[in-house]
Amino acid sequence: MRSARNARRKSRATTCPSARTAAFSAASTVPDSVEKDKIQARFNKGVLMLSMPKKPGAADGERTIAVSKD
């Protein structure tokens, strides 16, 4: 996963814009139970959605992941 962001702001005192850049990168392994050819990703309004369908016959290992608020 990789993301980059560029933002430009104009100062009130001058007409020269200042630039700000941010980047994010993360990597993860994909389990063998996932159909790797059918993985899809969508990025919308700052949210990355991943779809990783399981192979037929793969065990259904549901779990709950707690999400904390900072």
Side-chain angles (χ1 to χ4, degrees):
M1 204 178 337
R2 183 171 295 180
S3 173
R5 183 171 139 189
N6 293 324
R8 292 192 177 265
R9 292 183 294 175
K10 288 189 178 181
S11 172
R12 292 181 187 187
T14 107
T15 58
C16 179
S18 62
R20 181 176 52 179
T21 302
F24 172 79
S25 176
S28 181
T29 57
V30 177
D32 291 333
S33 60
V34 171
E35 291 190 45
K36 292 172 181 64
D37 294 337
K38 294 185 179 181
I39 295 175
Q40 295 180 348
R42 289 182 313 216
F43 189 75
N44 186 16
K45 296 182 181 179
V47 177
L48 177 63
M49 300 290 293
L50 297 174
S51 173
M52 297 188 285
K54 293 182 180 180
K55 291 179 182 176
D60 188 21
E62 283 189 27
R63 65 183 177 139
T64 302
I65 300 172
V67 177
S68 62
K69 210 180 220 185
D70 290 336

